[in-house]
């Protein structure tokens, strides 16, 4: 089982706000990264660190963290945001990397 | 432009070996750790391991699921990272991605190479 836990599926109405969460004890110490993956494509980094977006990622994507939970928020979800989202972080050993099981986001 | 290109995937029988390669370009390859991440069909992402060059020499780390069977190496003169996979199991069937870095923040991913372990 993964050290990071995500809800398997989440849905959001077009234009509304959705929060995708990631829980794990290591998140008390390390920040999470968030990745978007569309079918047949490699993952794309959307959020890293405290709340940083790589160049080209829309500002409707934001990140936050509290205690053992990291969150990815999409404010004003668009149809093109429909994808699988994965969090990752350091594992309990500190050197290893772990991924959450992923959340399938449906935009209605 | 940073590019990572994996090669070497294919169909292999259980118990056999396979070596994947990852050729990097557009950056100083020797300055970066390199990692492998895999994704079984229809499943989530799984970190496999990384190789890092630091002041103390080459360091590798592996996921428990592959420790002792998989080995990551690199040839900085050729800008290539390798993933040697021995004693392959059916559960090793996955798309294998090469990525730049050893940590949580992964900007650059290859397109992946598919490994199918089946008799």
């Amino acid at each position: 089982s993964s050290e990071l836990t995500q809800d398997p599926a989440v849905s959001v109405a077009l234009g509304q706000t959705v929060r995708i969460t990631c829980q794990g004890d290591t998140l008390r110490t390390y920040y999470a990264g968030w990745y978007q993956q569309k079918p047949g494509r490699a993952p794309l980094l959307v959020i890293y660190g405290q709340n940083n977006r790589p160049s080209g990622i829309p500002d409707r994507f934001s990140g936050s963290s509290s205690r053992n939970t990291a969150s990815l928020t999409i404010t004003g979800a668009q149809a093109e945001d429909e994808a699988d989202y994965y969090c990752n972080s350091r594992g309990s050993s500190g050197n290893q990397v772990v991924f959450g099981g992923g959340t399938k986001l449906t935009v209605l | 432009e940073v590019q990572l290109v994996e090669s070497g995937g294919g169909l292999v029988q259980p118990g056999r070996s396979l070596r994947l390669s990852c050729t990097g370009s557009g950056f100083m390859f020797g300055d970066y750790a390199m990692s492998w991440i895999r994704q079984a069909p229809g499943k989530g992402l799984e970190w496999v391991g990384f190789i890092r060059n630091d002041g103390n020499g080459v360091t590798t780390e592996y996921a428990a699921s592959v420790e002792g069977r998989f080995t990551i190496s690199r040839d900085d003169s050729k800008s290539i990272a390798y993933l040697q996979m021995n004693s392959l199991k059916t559960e090793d069937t996955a798309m294998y991605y090469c990525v730049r870095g050893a940590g949580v923040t992964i900007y650059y991913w290859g397109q992946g190479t598919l490994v199918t372990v089946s008799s």
Side-chain angles (χ1 to χ4, degrees), chain B residues 8-70:
Chain B
L11 175 63
V12 60
Q13 293 179 326
R16 304 297 292 266
S17 298
L18 199 65
R19 188 178 78 163
L20 307 183
S21 300
C22 168
T23 303
S25 60
F27 64 103
M28 291 296 292
F29 190 87
D31 288 348
Y32 291 88
M34 298 298 295
S35 301
W36 290 91
I37 291 167
R38 68 182 181 182
Q39 187 170 35
K43 303 297 184 182
L45 300 170
E46 181 186 16
W47 176 79
V48 173
F50 71 71
I51 185 165
R52 181 171 55 200
N53 237 337
D54 57 29
N56 297 317
V58 173
T59 301
T60 54
E61 290 280 348
Y62 300 97
S65 59
V66 305
E67 179 89 55
R69 297 189 300 123
F70 288 13

Side-chain angles (χ1 to χ4, degrees), chain A residues 37-71:
Chain A
Q37 188 180 33
K38 296 182 178 180
R41 304 289 296 275
L44 174 70
L45 179 68
V46 294
I47 291 289
Y48 66 96
Q50 190 170 14
N51 180 19
N52 301 297
R53 282 176 289 107
S55 175
I57 301 301
D59 60 6
R60 63 178 178 271
F61 289 88
S62 63
S64 61
S65 185
S66 177
R67 298 189 185 94
N68 71 331
T69 301
S71 300

